[in-house]
Amino acid sequence: MPTTHDTDAEPPISPDRLDELLRSLSIEEKAALTSGVDGWHASGAPSLGLAPMHTSDGPNGVRGMTFPSGSSATCTPCGTAFGATWDVDLVAELGGLIGAEAKRSGVAFMLGPVLNLVRSPLGGRDFESYSEDPILTARLGAAYVGGMQAQGVAATPKHFVANDAEAHRTTVDCVVDERTLREVYLVPFEAVAEAGVWSMMSAYNRVNGVYCSDHLHLVHDVMRGEWAWDGVLMSDWFATHDTVAGALAGLDLEMP
């Protein structure tokens, strides 16, 4: 995958300093960081001066709670319109625009882009997805991530994985063989992992009988193991089912 728009900026603090700060937290403070505090915020750490972290959705620009006085958000084209451009540089530019507006509004995590594939014209959220093609989706997704994170706002590609149907989306069991997972559904998520995305979102649905937030094979073995991705994996809203299974798989943050 192209890396033109990858974000390799130096972190604001060193890993050693980060470890020191984490060790200073109590067990209760560490536990609080694993769950949201309301519909739009992940928990902060007051003893470190870390405020609750604002998340915002945005299938066509920034939306969510409120904007600072006098500001607004651009209604950008939806994901399918992005996909129709086939233009990596333009999508990176638009990702940067959305990231800048999110930053201005105090957003820490933008909940996108949607990397699920358009598998049926009846899909209720098809407009949020780029296309039916995994390679096109992968390249545009990586470009969007790079553009947004260059503004200091975490992109959160979603929904990992095979969340391509709206009907019964919170309970449906998507039965997918390993080859199809590897060659189709996982391709866009692997691309953004390689591009250095800071966060991703697990899906509502089950894959081969296991809820995605609890999926030991897909999260622990593939995402954390094979891809060596160490970003923040958050659940979709109310999509966790087993705290132990989620923790063992590698889920970091239960929302909301």
Side-chain angles (χ1 to χ4, degrees), residues 35-43 52-55 65 237 254-256:
S35 64
V37 293
D38 59 31
W40 289 105
H41 291 86
S43 179
M53 291 167 283
H54 183 188
T55 68
M65 296 180 66
W237 270 224
E254 176 188 9
M255 288 299 291

Side-chain angles (χ1 to χ4, degrees), residues 155-175:
T156 309
K158 58 186 184 181
H159 310 82
F160 185 86
V161 62
N163 184 218
D164 307 287
E166 187 69 2
H168 308 290
R169 65 175 176 170
T170 61
T171 57
V172 64
D173 183 14
C174 301
V175 179

Side-chain angles (χ1 to χ4, degrees), residues 217-229 249:
H217 173 57
L218 290 175
V219 177
H220 180 274
D221 296 344
V222 177
M223 177 186 280
R224 301 299 195 185
E226 294 179 25
W227 300 349
W229 184 71

Side-chain angles (χ1 to χ4, degrees), residues 4 7 25 73 77 97 101 131 142 156 166 172 216 218 229 240 246 254:
T4 306
T7 51
L25 295 175
L97 169 67
E101 294 187 343
S131 79
T156 309
E166 187 69 2
V172 64
L216 198 66
L218 290 175
W229 184 71
T240 54
E254 176 188 9

